[in-house]
Amino acid sequence: MPSPLIVTLDGPAGVGKSSLARRLAAALGIGYLDTGAMFRAVAWRLGPGSWDWGPQRLENGLKDLRFELRDLDGEQVLFLDSEPLDPDIRTEEVGMWASNLAAIPAVREFLKQAQRDIGQSASLVAEGRDMGSVVFPRARCKFFLEAEAMERARRRWLQLKAMGRDADLEEIADQTRRRDRQDRERAVAPLAPAPDAALIDTTRLSEDQVFERLLGLVRAARP
Ligand code: DC
């Protein structure tokens, strides 16, 4: 059996990874793995303050969590303990909890194994912060997306408005910068491109332009 095709898409919060990864996976006919959602789901399950727990309590909290990708009406959907992930994991607040937990080596190690297990049997577009650098170092194609922080905040603000949520642009810009700093400066698996990743600055590109570029590069790299 040929080994699964793994495409990695990394970058900071709000750069557009999720939407691009989902589109890319659909165009290539392979699965989509949202690893930020896995960090968020762990944070949601363990709750605020869990980043200050001691190693034993944390290990107990993590050890029974089971992630899997399931086919739901032709779409690959992440499940935790046989339930689809709770939509409440998507708030900025839970994003910050996830970022706090993501600095803890035991949490990263646990999720790295869960991510590799999923990638062992399925072709994937894997989206996150360290997919190309740590989790799938032998991925066929690696991309690292960048965009100026204010532009990322503006995209997130538009998204929230489209969902009918009240949001303050300056506050989102502030949260974006804080989370960036924390994700880039942590000691374990900091947000950084793999040496062999293609860097794409999306600040002045539309989503369609970035999508076409990614798809073209993956198709060119496929044997
Ligand atoms: O992509 P996101 O905003 O849903 O991710 C939430 C947090 O999870 C992010 O601030 C850092 C962490 N994360 C990580 O450290 N490594 C990943 N591969 C994915 C997410």
Side-chain angles (χ1 to χ4, degrees), residues 10 15 24 31-32 35 59 69 82-83 85 97 108 129 163 202 209:
D10 290 304
V15 78
L24 200 56
Y32 159 56
T35 63
E59 192 191 314
L69 264 191
S82 306
E83 301 277 345
L85 303 189
W97 298 358
R108 300 211 70 84
R129 303 291 189 288
M163 290 191 282
T202 73
Q209 286 173 315

Side-chain angles (χ1 to χ4, degrees), residues 122-137:
S123 288
L124 294 175
V125 177
E127 173 236 315
R129 303 291 189 288
D130 60 342
M131 293 298 102
S133 54
V134 176
V135 179
F136 298 113

Side-chain angles (χ1 to χ4, degrees), residues 4-10 21 24-25 28 30-33 122-128 131-132 136 138-143 214-215 217-219 221-222:
L5 167 70
I6 305 286
V7 176
T8 62
L9 198 54
D10 290 304
L24 200 56
L28 295 167
I30 63 180
Y32 159 56
L33 184 65
S123 288
L124 294 175
V125 177
E127 173 236 315
M131 293 298 102
F136 298 113
R138 298 178 61 197
R140 177 95 50 81
C141 295
K142 300 182 182 180
F143 299 108
L214 296 176
L215 187 60
L217 288 167
V218 177
R219 289 201 167 130
R222 280 184 105 163

Side-chain angles (χ1 to χ4, degrees), residues 79-161:
F79 277 63
L80 173 57
D81 296 341
S82 306
E83 301 277 345
L85 303 189
D86 193 313
D88 286 345
I89 64 169
R90 300 290 168 191
T91 63
E92 289 301 309
E93 190 184 13
V94 177
M96 198 65 202
W97 298 358
S99 177
N100 293 343
L101 277 169
I104 301 176
V107 175
R108 300 211 70 84
E109 200 48 46
F110 170 78
L111 284 177
K112 180 172 82 180
Q113 206 45 59
Q115 290 152 6
R116 284 187 178 165
D117 288 347
I118 293 172
Q120 193 120 55
S121 53
S123 288
L124 294 175
V125 177
E127 173 236 315
R129 303 291 189 288
D130 60 342
M131 293 298 102
S133 54
V134 176
V135 179
F136 298 113
R138 298 178 61 197
R140 177 95 50 81
C141 295
K142 300 182 182 180
F143 299 108
F144 192 91
L145 303 183
E146 272 291 7
E148 288 163 12
M150 198 58 204
E151 172 59 17
R152 288 186 279 122
R154 197 186 65 85
R155 291 176 190 171
R156 177 76 184 138
W157 178 72
L158 287 173
Q159 245 176 18
L160 288 170
K161 278 195 16 172

Side-chain angles (χ1 to χ4, degrees), residues 16-94:
K17 297 183 302 287
S18 299
S19 160
L20 285 160
R22 197 175 287 118
R23 285 178 70 181
L24 200 56
L28 295 167
I30 63 180
Y32 159 56
L33 184 65
D34 175 357
T35 63
M38 296 171 83
F39 280 88
R40 285 169 182 268
V42 169
W44 183 242
R45 178 67 77 83
L46 301 185
S50 50
W51 43 91
D52 293 325
W53 291 355
Q56 195 56 55
R57 184 165 176 207
L58 201 54
E59 192 191 314
N60 287 340
L62 291 171
K63 75 175 185 335
D64 295 324
L65 304 180
R66 291 282 168 276
F67 283 99
E68 55 186 320
L69 264 191
R70 285 195 192 171
D71 193 279
L72 210 64
D73 302 327
E75 214 190 314
Q76 302 279 309
V77 178
L78 258 176
F79 277 63
L80 173 57
D81 296 341
S82 306
E83 301 277 345
L85 303 189
D86 193 313
D88 286 345
I89 64 169
R90 300 290 168 191
T91 63
E92 289 301 309
E93 190 184 13
V94 177

